[in-house]
Amino acid sequence: MEADMTCPQCGCEHVYPDGSLWNCPECGYEWNPQDSDGTTAGNMAEIRDTNGNILADGDSVTVIKDLKIKGASSVIKGGTKVRGIRLVDAADGHNIACRISGVGAINLKSEFVKKA
């Protein structure tokens, strides 16, 4: 199985295993070969905001309460609107990657945002 493994997204032959997932060094794609379609979108459970709305990549969300930033003296104020979120599958519960002006790139938990 490993000898004929290629990336389902770009067709690269230089893929390598990382635990149960396979990674492509050229395009950065990760997949589980045991899944029938080979996509990671099917692997992630639906990510929902605090009101139960399903979130998708590119959505805009609003932070619902003040969030302290670990290791910094700044705070993300409640009501801050975040545009163009990316959904990630993180083990620590931070399942939204985004960029907030004045703060920079940061990961958020979906339980602290609502869909805008």
Side-chain angles (χ1 to χ4, degrees), residues 59-70 74-86 94 96-110 112-114:
D59 281 348
S60 294
V61 296
T62 304
V63 178
I64 60 169
K65 70 178 218 171
D66 290 356
L67 299 174
K68 295 179 183 176
I69 300 174
K70 193 174 192 176
S74 60
V75 174
I76 300 172
K77 294 286 190 182
T80 302
K81 190 165 186 177
V82 182
R83 293 182 176 92
I85 65 168
R86 251 189 17 227
H94 294 85
I96 297 174
C98 60
R99 184 173 222 63
I100 299 176
S101 61
V103 177
I106 193 165
N107 291 342
L108 299 172
K109 292 184 178 182
S110 61
F112 299 121
V113 299
K114 65 179 180 178

Side-chain angles (χ1 to χ4, degrees), residues 21-42:
L21 296 177
W22 281 77
N23 296 311
C24 177
E26 291 184 10
C27 68
Y29 186 67
E30 293 182 335
W31 75 97
N32 187 345
Q34 296 175 350
D35 290 345
S36 59
D37 60 357
T39 61
T40 57

Side-chain angles (χ1 to χ4, degrees), residues 34-58:
Q34 296 175 350
D35 290 345
S36 59
D37 60 357
T39 61
T40 57
N43 295 342
M44 285 198 309
E46 294 176 336
I47 297 177
R48 297 179 179 263
D49 69 356
T50 192
N51 295 329
N53 298 319
I54 297 173
L55 298 173
D57 283 342

